[in-house]
Coordinates of all heavy atoms in Angstrom, one line a residue:
R11 N 0.8 -1.2 0.0 CA 0.0 0.0 0.0 C 0.9 1.3 0.0 O 2.0 1.2 0.4 CB -0.9 0.0 1.2 CG -2.0 -1.0 1.3 CD -2.7 -1.0 2.6 NE -3.1 0.4 3.0 CZ -3.5 0.7 4.2 NH1 -3.7 -0.3 5.1 NH2 -3.8 1.9 4.5
Y12 N 0.2 2.3 -0.4 CA 0.9 3.6 -0.3 C 0.7 4.2 1.0 O -0.4 4.2 1.7 CB 0.2 4.6 -1.4 CG 0.7 6.0 -1.2 CD1 1.8 6.5 -1.8 CD2 -0.1 6.9 -0.4 CE1 2.2 7.8 -1.6 CE2 0.3 8.2 -0.3 CZ 1.5 8.7 -0.8 OH 1.8 10.0 -0.6
F13 N 1.8 4.8 1.6 CA 1.7 5.6 2.8 C 2.5 7.0 2.5 O 3.6 7.0 2.0 CB 2.4 4.9 4.0 CG 1.6 3.8 4.5 CD1 1.7 2.5 4.0 CD2 0.6 4.0 5.5 CE1 1.0 1.4 4.5 CE2 -0.1 2.9 6.0 CZ 0.1 1.7 5.5
S14 N 1.9 8.1 2.9 CA 2.5 9.4 2.7 C 3.6 9.6 3.7 O 3.8 8.9 4.7 CB 1.4 10.5 2.9 OG 1.0 10.5 4.3
E15 N 4.4 10.6 3.4 CA 5.5 11.0 4.3 C 5.0 11.4 5.6 O 5.6 11.1 6.7 CB 6.4 12.1 3.6 CG 7.2 11.6 2.4 CD 8.1 12.8 1.9 OE1 8.1 13.8 2.5 OE2 8.7 12.6 0.8
A16 N 3.9 12.1 5.6 CA 3.3 12.5 6.9 C 2.9 11.3 7.7 O 3.1 11.3 9.0 CB 2.1 13.4 6.6
D17 N 2.3 10.3 7.1 CA 1.9 9.1 7.8 C 3.2 8.4 8.4 O 3.2 7.9 9.5 CB 1.2 8.2 6.9 CG -0.2 8.7 6.5 OD1 -0.8 9.4 7.4 OD2 -0.7 8.5 5.4
M18 N 4.2 8.3 7.6 CA 5.4 7.6 7.9 C 6.2 8.3 9.0 O 6.9 7.7 9.8 CB 6.2 7.3 6.7 CG 5.6 6.3 5.7 SD 5.0 4.8 6.5 CE 6.5 4.1 7.1
A19 N 6.0 9.6 9.1 CA 6.7 10.4 10.2 C 6.2 9.9 11.6 O 7.0 10.1 12.5 CB 6.5 11.9 10.0
K20 N 5.0 9.4 11.6 CA 4.5 8.9 12.9 C 4.9 7.5 13.2 O 4.5 6.9 14.3 CB 3.0 9.0 12.9 CG 2.5 10.4 12.6 CD 1.0 10.4 12.3 CE 0.5 11.7 11.8 NZ -1.0 11.7 11.4
V21 N 5.6 6.8 12.3 CA 5.8 5.4 12.4 C 7.3 5.2 12.8 O 8.2 5.8 12.2 CB 5.5 4.6 11.1 CG1 6.0 3.2 11.2 CG2 4.0 4.7 10.8
N22 N 7.5 4.3 13.8 CA 8.9 4.0 14.2 C 9.3 2.6 13.6 O 9.0 1.6 14.2 CB 9.0 4.0 15.7 CG 10.4 3.6 16.1 OD1 11.4 3.7 15.3 ND2 10.6 3.2 17.4
N23 N 9.9 2.7 12.4 CA 10.3 1.4 11.7 C 11.8 1.4 11.5 O 12.3 0.6 10.7 CB 9.5 1.2 10.4 CG 9.8 2.3 9.4 OD1 10.6 3.2 9.7 ND2 9.2 2.1 8.2
K24 N 12.5 2.3 12.1 CA 13.9 2.4 11.9 C 14.6 1.0 12.3 O 14.5 0.5 13.4 CB 14.5 3.5 12.7 CG 16.0 3.8 12.4 CD 16.5 5.0 13.2 CE 18.0 5.3 12.8 NZ 18.5 6.5 13.5
G25 N 15.4 0.5 11.3 CA 16.1 -0.7 11.5 C 15.3 -2.0 11.5 O 15.8 -3.1 11.8
M26 N 14.0 -1.8 11.3 CA 13.1 -3.0 11.4 C 13.1 -3.7 10.0 O 13.1 -3.1 9.0 CB 11.7 -2.5 11.7 CG 10.7 -3.6 12.1 SD 9.1 -3.0 12.5 CE 9.4 -2.0 14.0
S27 N 13.0 -5.0 10.1 CA 12.9 -5.9 8.9 C 11.7 -6.7 8.9 O 11.4 -7.3 10.0 CB 14.2 -6.8 8.7 OG 13.9 -7.7 7.7
I28 N 10.9 -6.7 7.9 CA 9.7 -7.5 7.8 C 10.0 -9.0 7.8 O 9.1 -9.8 8.0 CB 8.9 -7.1 6.6 CG1 7.4 -7.5 6.8 CG2 9.4 -7.6 5.3 CD1 6.4 -6.8 5.8
W29 N 11.3 -9.4 7.6 CA 11.7 -10.8 7.5 C 12.2 -11.3 8.8 O 12.5 -12.5 8.9 CB 12.8 -10.9 6.4 CG 12.4 -10.3 5.1 CD1 13.0 -9.1 4.6 CD2 11.5 -10.7 4.2 NE1 12.4 -8.8 3.4 CE2 11.5 -9.8 3.1 CE3 10.7 -11.8 4.1 CZ2 10.7 -9.9 2.0 CZ3 9.9 -12.0 2.9 CH2 9.9 -11.0 1.9
K30 N 12.3 -10.5 9.9 CA 12.8 -10.9 11.1 C 11.8 -11.0 12.2 O 10.7 -10.3 12.2 CB 14.0 -10.0 11.6 CG 15.2 -10.1 10.6 CD 16.3 -9.2 11.1 CE 17.5 -9.3 10.2 NZ 18.6 -8.4 10.6
S31 N 12.1 -11.8 13.2 CA 11.1 -12.0 14.4 C 10.9 -10.7 15.1 O 9.9 -10.6 15.9 CB 11.7 -13.1 15.3 OG 12.9 -12.7 15.8
T32 N 11.8 -9.7 15.0 CA 11.6 -8.4 15.7 C 10.6 -7.5 15.0 O 10.3 -6.4 15.5 CB 12.9 -7.7 15.8 OG1 13.5 -7.6 14.5 CG2 13.9 -8.5 16.8
Y33 N 10.1 -7.9 13.9 CA 9.1 -7.1 13.2 C 7.9 -6.9 14.0 O 7.3 -7.9 14.5 CB 8.8 -7.7 11.8 CG 7.6 -7.0 11.1 CD1 7.9 -5.8 10.5 CD2 6.4 -7.6 11.0 CE1 6.8 -5.1 9.8 CE2 5.3 -7.0 10.3 CZ 5.6 -5.7 9.7 OH 4.5 -5.1 9.1
V34 N 7.4 -5.7 14.1 CA 6.2 -5.4 14.8 C 5.0 -5.4 13.9 O 5.0 -4.8 12.8 CB 6.2 -4.0 15.5 CG1 4.9 -3.6 16.2 CG2 7.4 -3.9 16.5
A35 N 4.0 -6.2 14.2 CA 2.8 -6.4 13.4 C 2.3 -5.1 12.8 O 2.1 -4.1 13.5 CB 1.7 -7.1 14.1
N36 N 2.0 -5.1 11.5 CA 1.3 -4.0 10.7 C 2.1 -2.8 10.7 O 1.5 -1.7 10.5 CB -0.1 -3.8 11.3 CG -1.0 -5.0 11.3 OD1 -1.0 -5.7 10.2 ND2 -1.7 -5.3 12.3
T37 N 3.4 -2.9 10.8 CA 4.3 -1.7 10.6 C 4.7 -1.6 9.2 O 5.2 -2.5 8.6 CB 5.6 -1.9 11.5 OG1 5.2 -2.0 12.8 CG2 6.5 -0.6 11.3
P38 N 4.4 -0.4 8.5 CA 4.8 -0.3 7.1 C 6.3 -0.3 6.9 O 7.0 0.5 7.6 CB 4.1 1.1 6.7 CG 3.2 1.4 7.8 CD 3.7 0.7 9.0
I39 N 6.7 -1.1 6.0 CA 8.2 -1.1 5.6 C 8.3 -0.7 4.2 O 7.5 -1.3 3.3 CB 8.7 -2.5 5.8 CG1 8.6 -3.0 7.3 CG2 10.2 -2.5 5.4 CD1 9.3 -2.2 8.3
P40 N 9.1 0.3 3.8 CA 9.2 0.6 2.4 C 9.5 -0.6 1.5 O 10.3 -1.5 1.9 CB 10.4 1.6 2.4 CG 10.4 2.2 3.7 CD 10.0 1.1 4.7
I41 N 8.9 -0.8 0.4 CA 9.0 -2.0 -0.4 C 10.4 -2.2 -0.9 O 10.9 -3.3 -1.0 CB 8.0 -2.0 -1.6 CG1 7.9 -3.4 -2.2 CG2 8.3 -0.9 -2.6 CD1 6.8 -3.6 -3.2
R42 N 11.1 -1.1 -1.1 CA 12.5 -1.2 -1.6 C 13.4 -1.7 -0.4 O 14.4 -2.4 -0.7 CB 13.0 0.2 -2.0 CG 12.4 0.7 -3.3 CD 12.8 -0.2 -4.5 NE 14.2 -0.2 -4.8 CZ 14.8 0.6 -5.7 NH1 14.1 1.5 -6.3 NH2 16.1 0.5 -5.9
E43 N 13.0 -1.4 0.8 CA 13.8 -1.9 2.0 C 13.5 -3.4 2.1 O 14.4 -4.2 2.4 CB 13.4 -1.2 3.2 CG 14.1 -1.6 4.5 CD 15.6 -1.3 4.5 OE1 16.1 -0.6 3.6 OE2 16.3 -1.9 5.4
A44 N 12.3 -3.8 1.9 CA 11.9 -5.3 1.9 C 12.7 -6.0 0.8 O 13.2 -7.1 1.0 CB 10.4 -5.4 1.7
Q45 N 12.9 -5.4 -0.3 CA 13.6 -6.0 -1.4 C 15.1 -6.1 -1.0 O 15.8 -7.1 -1.2 CB 13.5 -5.2 -2.7 CG 14.3 -5.7 -3.8 CD 14.4 -4.8 -5.0 OE1 14.4 -3.6 -4.8 NE2 14.4 -5.3 -6.2
R46 N 15.6 -5.0 -0.4 CA 17.1 -5.0 0.0 C 17.4 -6.0 1.0 O 18.5 -6.6 1.0 CB 17.4 -3.6 0.5 CG 18.9 -3.4 0.7 CD 19.2 -2.0 1.4 NE 18.7 -1.9 2.8 CZ 19.4 -2.5 3.8 NH1 20.5 -3.1 3.6 NH2 18.8 -2.4 5.0
T47 N 16.5 -6.2 2.0 CA 16.8 -7.2 3.1 C 16.2 -8.6 2.8 O 16.2 -9.4 3.8 CB 16.2 -6.6 4.4 OG1 14.8 -6.4 4.2 CG2 16.8 -5.3 4.7
F48 N 15.8 -8.9 1.6 CA 15.2 -10.2 1.3 C 16.2 -11.3 1.7 O 17.4 -11.2 1.2 CB 14.8 -10.2 -0.2 CG 14.1 -11.5 -0.5 CD1 12.8 -11.7 -0.1 CD2 14.7 -12.5 -1.3 CE1 12.1 -12.8 -0.5 CE2 14.1 -13.6 -1.7 CZ 12.7 -13.8 -1.3
P49 N 15.8 -12.3 2.5 CA 16.8 -13.2 3.1 C 17.2 -14.4 2.3 O 18.1 -15.2 2.7 CB 16.2 -13.6 4.4 CG 14.7 -13.5 4.1 CD 14.5 -12.4 3.1
D50 N 16.5 -14.7 1.2 CA 16.7 -16.0 0.5 C 17.8 -15.9 -0.6 O 17.6 -15.1 -1.5 CB 15.4 -16.5 -0.1 CG 15.5 -17.9 -0.6 OD1 16.6 -18.4 -0.8 OD2 14.4 -18.6 -0.7
D51 N 18.8 -16.6 -0.5 CA 19.9 -16.6 -1.5 C 19.5 -17.3 -2.8 O 20.2 -17.1 -3.8 CB 21.2 -17.1 -0.9 CG 21.8 -16.3 0.2 OD1 21.5 -15.1 0.2 OD2 22.5 -16.8 1.1

C-alpha cells in the first residue's frame, strides 16, 4: 500500500525488517527496503 511521508513520520520502523522476528505487526516497511533485506539466497 501507499503511505504518505506525513503518515510515515509517525511510524517508528527504523532498523526494522519484515523478514525478522523483531518485526512489529502491521508496521509499514518501504518496499525497496523489503527488497534490499530479502533473506533468500
Side-chain angles (χ1 to χ4, degrees):
R11 291 175 46 192
Y12 169 85
F13 287 91
S14 68
E15 289 184 6
D17 291 325
M18 292 309 298
K20 306 170 189 174
V21 174
N22 180 18
N23 63 357
K24 188 174 182 181
M26 191 181 295
S27 172
I28 201 167
W29 311 105
K30 294 183 177 179
S31 59
T32 52
Y33 173 74
V34 177
N36 300 316
T37 302
I39 302 295
I41 193 169
R42 291 297 295 268
E43 180 65 13
Q45 180 190 33
R46 187 186 69 79
T47 58
F48 186 71
D50 193 337
D51 294 332

